[in-house]
Amino acid sequence: MKPSLVLKMGQQLTMTPQLQQAIKLLQLSTLDLQQEIQQALDSNPLLELIEDASDTSVSGETAESTDEQQVDITEETSPSSNGDGSSIEATNSPSQEQDSDSSESVYEDQWAEQIPSELSVDTAWDDVYEPILPTTGSSSSNSDEEFDYTARNSTAETIQTHLHWQLNLTPLSDNDRLIAIAIIDAVDESGYLTCTLEDIQESFDPELEIELDEVVAVHRLLKQFDPVGVAARDLKECLFTQLTQLSANTPFLEEAKLITQKYLHLLGNHDYNQLMRKAKLKEEQLKQAILLIQSLNPRPGSVIQDENSEYIVPDVIVQKRNDRWSVELNSDATPRLRINASYASLVKRADSSSDNTYIKNHLQEARWFIKSLQSRNETLMRVASCIVEHQKGFLEYGEEAMKPLVLHDIAEAVGMHESTISRVTTQKYMHTPRGIFELKYFFSSHVSTSSGGECSSTAIRAIIKKLIAVENARKPLSDSKIAKLLEEQGIKVARRTIAKYRESLSIPPSNERKRLV
């Protein structure tokens, strides 16, 4: 074919860098957003952090998205109500009413041809390095309590390091020490041995002439280490080792040893009748022996786990004030930014030098970044307010009052696409009087009721949990029985659906919930 030029007309969606940045910030969690903001502060000299909330003097353009925003959801009927008698009153701080265009014009008017003789220092020593507190007085004691040097500088302890520490204090021969090290290395996080003693014996060099009896003897010694029962090959061996360490005067110790050695499978299946018959125990004896076994630790390695608490920083805070549910952004979650007025004033309108171009480019990037933050928090505020307005029953009465809600409902209410709502509700958390929940927690499917209404799957789970909590431990409720009880309340749910909800709540089936009373 002969090459030729063809003119075509069409429409194509092009994502600008500003839009890409806004979408990126929208889907970030609070911790990731803080890291992104810190990177922007490090790379852009035109951005600065507002340390004091009251510091609003000559700040240039401020990230109004990080200022305090509050929405009150009322129960009173108003002309702007949404049909259910609720209305939303939004109040913003004065800095949020400023227009970025007007701020830009102010900067253009303030562009000076003369550079000041002295420029303010960008950073101070105290901004980078924390001052050394005095060693006397109450402030010293408070700082010592808050700063835990061991917790911040020590390495995480594992079950292996804990056992090696005890091994170093135990006098052993060279071969026995090699065997002990091999056994310790084969212990998992739960404290159980992950291979057989024969495999450990075969793993050594034949020239060492290590016999299986030596491995067994060292293994028996390691099981007495702290925590007792560690390096056991199965649950039976773990529990029995812990029972042997108890005092001989412990009540019902022999009955517990008998059950652990011979009838642990019957105890696991809750077959108490057959257990009493085979072990020749009375009901009271069996009950006390089971209580003794339940006091043991089936996972001894779990007590040597590093306990580093992971805290969730909520993005939105919901409180009830004067019979109104108030929704506001967590001002501590997102740092407040502004344009550095000193650097911005150095921009010259008609100057095309490299320094002037550098400042102008970073000034524009800083404005884009602040505007993206503003867009993110405004979207988050709108979505959170809509969720709270829809789920006021949950806030008032708990999970059983949760209403069905899907992404499409919120998308229609706020006039956004479902993908945007999905980004906003992922890894974003809301602090309520009933706890901290991810925004996605408030979304659930619905089940039709006999009266023609709808019931949320979250509410059904709460009802199931409540029914099981008050059931008779001797005759626990089966899934079919729970389905019938729900049907009496007008909720039609299949037995398999009940089983699925029960498993999602980590509730065992009825035969495993059976207990002796």
Side-chain angles (χ1 to χ4, degrees):
M1 296 180 59
K2 184 179 179 180
S4 61
L5 297 176
V6 180
L7 182 62
K8 293 184 178 180
M9 295 182 62
Q11 293 182 347
Q12 183 179 1
L13 178 62
T14 302
M15 295 183 64
T16 62
Q18 300 93 315
L19 181 59
Q20 294 178 6
Q21 185 183 60
I23 294 177
K24 178 183 178 181
L25 296 181
L26 186 62
Q27 60 189 3
L28 292 180
S29 64
T30 300
L31 297 179
D32 293 337
L33 179 64
Q34 292 176 354
Q35 294 180 359
E36 189 72 19
I37 292 176
Q38 186 60 46
Q39 291 178 3
L41 289 171
D42 296 338
S43 61
N44 194 333
L46 271 297
L47 277 176
E48 66 178 4
L49 186 65
I50 302 178
E51 300 290 348
D52 188 2
S54 61
D55 183 12
T56 57
S57 59
V58 196
S59 59
E61 298 179 22
T62 307
E64 46 189 66
S65 59
T66 58
D67 289 340
E68 294 184 359
Q69 301 184 20
Q70 178 176 330
V71 172
D72 291 338
I73 299 178
T74 67
E75 305 290 342
E76 301 174 359
T77 305
S78 64
S80 60
S81 63
N82 295 324
D84 59 349
S86 62
S87 62
I88 300 179
E89 299 177 0
T91 58
N92 298 330
S93 62
S95 61
Q96 294 175 341
E97 300 174 357
Q98 297 178 355
D99 191 358
S100 60
D101 295 337
S102 61
S103 300
E104 183 176 356
S105 62
V106 171
Y107 274 121
E108 292 178 354
D109 296 336
Q110 293 179 350
W111 281 340
E113 296 294 334
Q114 302 168 354
I115 299 177
S117 58
E118 288 187 357
L119 297 178
S120 58
V121 180
D122 186 34
T123 57
W125 180 271
D126 291 342
D127 295 335
V128 181
Y129 302 98
E130 294 184 0
I132 300 177
L133 298 178
T135 57
T136 59
S138 58
S139 59
S140 175
S141 60
N142 294 335
S143 62
D144 292 340
E145 294 177 359
E146 296 176 358
F147 183 80
D148 188 353
Y149 180 84
T150 303
R152 295 193 180 187
N153 297 276
S154 60
T155 57
E157 185 179 22
T158 63
I159 185 65
Q160 278 76 22
T161 58
H162 186 68
L163 294 176
H164 278 299
W165 172 74
Q166 298 177 73
L167 179 62
N168 294 333
L169 301 177
T170 306
L172 292 175
S173 63
D174 293 341
N175 284 352
D176 290 346
R177 188 170 298 276
L178 290 176
I179 297 172
I181 293 175
I183 295 176
I184 291 175
D185 291 342
V187 173
D188 61 10
E189 295 180 355
S190 299
Y192 286 91
L193 197 61
T194 57
C195 61
T196 63
L197 298 181
E198 290 79 6
D199 294 337
I200 294 177
Q201 188 264 336
E202 293 175 359
S203 65
F204 291 106
D205 192 340
E207 296 181 358
L208 296 176
E209 297 182 354
I210 294 179
E211 301 294 336
L212 182 60
D213 294 341
E214 299 179 70
V215 179
V216 173
V218 175
H219 178 249
R220 186 180 302 111
L221 173 64
L222 288 179
K223 289 190 297 182
Q224 313 304 320
F225 278 16
D226 178 70
V228 180
V230 72
R233 289 165 287 187
D234 52 30
L235 179 61
K236 180 191 299 185
E237 185 177 18
C238 177
L239 297 179
F240 187 77
T241 302
Q242 296 180 50
L243 288 174
T244 57
Q245 295 298 309
L246 298 178
S247 173
N249 299 328
T250 303
F252 303 97
L253 178 61
E254 296 302 324
E255 291 82 353
K257 288 183 178 180
L258 177 63
I259 295 174
T260 303
Q261 277 188 311
K262 297 184 178 180
Y263 309 114
L264 192 61
H265 62 286
L266 295 178
L267 179 62
N269 294 331
H270 299 276
D271 193 350
Y272 300 121
N273 294 329
Q274 189 174 359
L275 181 56
M276 287 187 293
R277 185 172 62 255
K278 289 190 174 183
K280 298 180 181 179
L281 298 175
K282 296 182 180 180
E283 182 175 340
E284 183 61 25
Q285 292 176 321
L286 178 60
K287 180 180 178 181
Q288 296 299 327
I290 291 176
L291 291 177
L292 180 58
I293 295 175
Q294 289 177 344
S295 65
L296 306 177
N297 187 1
R299 300 176 68 251
S302 61
V303 300
I304 313 296
Q305 293 180 353
D306 184 46
E307 298 181 357
N308 289 329
S309 302
E310 296 183 2
Y311 298 96
I312 295 177
V313 180
D315 300 84
V316 181
I317 299 176
V318 179
Q319 295 177 335
K320 193 170 186 180
R321 300 172 179 172
N322 300 325
D323 295 332
R324 297 181 178 183
W325 286 106
S326 173
V327 184
E328 58 184 8
L329 293 176
N330 184 5
S331 58
D332 296 332
T334 306
R336 301 174 68 242
L337 305 179
R338 64 184 175 186
I339 301 294
N340 188 303
S342 300
Y343 289 160
S345 63
L346 300 178
V347 178
K348 298 180 180 180
R349 185 187 303 273
D351 192 352
S352 60
S353 63
S354 60
D355 293 340
N356 192 68
T357 303
Y358 175 85
I359 298 178
K360 288 173 64 177
N361 292 339
H362 281 76
L363 177 60
Q364 188 63 36
E365 291 178 2
R367 289 172 177 167
W368 287 345
F369 191 81
I370 291 177
K371 189 173 182 180
S372 297
L373 284 177
Q374 174 187 354
S375 176
R376 176 190 186 271
N377 286 353
E378 286 179 352
T379 304
L380 179 60
M381 193 68 176
R382 292 175 60 189
V383 172
S385 301
C386 189
I387 291 175
V388 170
E389 181 182 0
H390 193 87
Q391 300 292 4
K392 286 184 292 186
F394 165 77
L395 298 174
E396 294 283 355
Y397 307 106
E399 293 180 338
E400 296 183 17
M402 183 79 78
K403 293 182 179 180
L405 184 65
V406 293
L407 294 176
H408 180 71
D409 299 336
I410 301 297
E412 283 191 343
V414 299
M416 297 180 180
H417 195 269
E418 292 184 30
S419 61
T420 304
I421 305 302
S422 179
R423 292 188 183 98
V424 174
T425 56
T426 301
Q427 294 184 340
K428 312 295 189 306
Y429 295 89
M430 177 184 293
H431 184 278
T432 70
R434 296 190 176 274
I436 299 178
F437 303 93
E438 188 179 9
L439 295 185
K440 281 191 177 297
Y441 171 80
F442 298 95
F443 295 87
S444 60
S445 57
H446 69 276
V447 176
S448 301
T449 61
S450 57
S451 59
E454 295 179 346
C455 184
S456 169
S457 59
T458 304
I460 296 176
R461 289 187 180 93
I463 296 174
I464 293 174
K465 186 177 180 179
K466 184 177 180 180
L467 290 175
I468 293 178
V470 297
E471 69 181 359
N472 186 356
R474 285 183 175 272
K475 296 180 180 180
L477 298 174
S478 63
D479 295 338
S480 301
K481 181 62 176 178
I482 295 176
K484 291 181 180 179
L485 294 176
L486 290 177
E487 187 175 359
E488 294 177 359
Q489 300 181 22
I491 305 174
K492 296 181 180 180
V493 185
R495 181 192 61 81
R496 287 181 291 182
T497 306
I498 297 294
K500 181 181 68 175
Y501 289 166
R502 175 179 51 76
E503 291 175 358
S504 67
L505 295 171
S506 301
I507 298 177
S510 58
N511 62 322
E512 297 183 10
R513 299 199 308 270
K514 188 175 182 180
R515 296 289 185 271
L516 288 176
V517 181

